[in-house]
Amino acid sequence: MENWITDIMERFGYFGIMLMIAIENVFPPIPSEVILTFGGFMTTYSSLTVPGVIIAATIGSIVGAVILYGIGRMLDVERLEKIVERYGHILRVKKEDIRRADAWFDKYGYWTVLFCRMVPLIRSLISIPAGMSNMKFGMFLLFTTIGTLIWNVILVCVGAAVGDSWESIVAFMDVYSNIAYALIAIAAIAFLFFFFRKRRKSA
């Protein structure tokens, strides 16, 4: 996959970077770390510039995020409640649980979007619950753009700094990704544990 990504970037320059990042946001298995660090490396031997790569990558990220946000709006809370009303007894989830989760996201959603934009895989998927909670589109764009810019600036600049050793950064980011996924899994397990324990006590 890396060869395919880098070939498109080398062939189409800024447009290739924007396209790859947009696709990466919609299909998270495509690694943004490869796109951004290689994009930084390209500035050392081509006419591409670091600001240009960052801008192209940021535009691509925003386009992908808006697409997933739109999908989230189509899967809004009301539809989820109807699904839970029909199948919630199987999952042991109630409509009230959906409302509480939606209220939590309404309260902390902006900061969640900001920080999750700097976590591999989650950085793309976070746009869906943002849309589902009907987060204000302008605020969603603002926090998405800030988080995306931080992520893009760091990886593009690192890629430009290390030059043809950019792949070593990708290897390091794999370790970072695994740690992030482990922490997210632990947090999810802890949440489910306390959630179901609370449900049993209230039953």
Side-chain angles (χ1 to χ4, degrees):
M1 182 179 288
E2 281 190 20
N3 290 336
W4 172 69
I5 292 171
T6 54
D7 284 347
I8 289 178
M9 291 171 63
E10 287 187 313
R11 184 176 300 179
F12 298 105
Y14 293 127
F15 178 76
I17 293 168
M18 183 180 70
L19 178 64
M20 285 292 95
I21 285 289
I23 293 174
E24 176 267 335
N25 271 262
V26 180
F27 301 102
I30 296 177
S32 63
E33 303 93 293
V34 172
I35 302 169
L36 295 171
T37 52
F38 184 74
F41 168 51
M42 286 175 65
T43 65
T44 66
Y45 67 86
S46 69
S47 60
L48 301 185
T49 65
V50 168
V53 171
I54 291 171
I55 291 170
T58 302
I59 292 172
S61 292
I62 293 171
V63 169
V66 168
I67 291 172
L68 291 184
Y69 176 88
I71 292 173
R73 288 296 292 265
M74 291 188 289
L75 300 171
D76 59 16
V77 173
E78 287 75 17
R79 292 192 180 185
L80 267 185
E81 287 180 348
K82 290 179 181 177
I83 294 172
V84 167
E85 194 171 9
R86 178 174 294 184
Y87 303 108
H89 63 285
I90 299 174
L91 302 172
R92 299 186 68 183
V93 176
K94 297 179 181 179
K95 290 170 65 174
E96 292 77 15
D97 300 325
I98 300 297
R99 294 194 192 104
R100 275 198 292 268
D102 185 52
W104 183 92
F105 204 88
D106 284 341
K107 188 174 182 180
Y108 302 107
Y110 298 128
W111 296 108
T112 302
V113 168
L114 175 65
F115 290 114
C116 283
R117 290 301 299 181
M118 293 174 274
V119 178
L121 184 64
I122 305 300
R123 65 187 299 274
S124 302
L125 300 179
I126 193 60
S127 300
I128 295 176
M132 290 173 64
S133 69
N134 292 315
M135 179 183 289
K136 292 180 181 177
F137 185 65
M139 295 298 289
F140 168 76
L141 276 183
L142 175 63
F143 281 83
T144 292
T145 301
I146 293 172
T148 296
L149 266 175
I150 294 171
W151 178 258
N152 290 352
V153 166
I154 291 173
L155 289 185
V156 171
C157 289
V158 168
V162 301
D164 57 9
S165 299
W166 66 274
E167 288 182 296
S168 63
I169 304 303
V170 174
F172 171 80
M173 291 304 298
D174 284 341
V175 175
Y176 167 73
S177 299
N178 291 333
I179 293 173
Y181 298 154
L183 292 174
I184 291 169
I186 292 170
I189 292 170
F191 171 81
L192 290 172
F193 172 78
F194 289 111
F195 172 77
F196 284 112
R197 190 172 74 169
K198 185 177 180 181
R199 285 285 299 277
R200 286 195 199 98
K201 287 182 178 179
S202 61

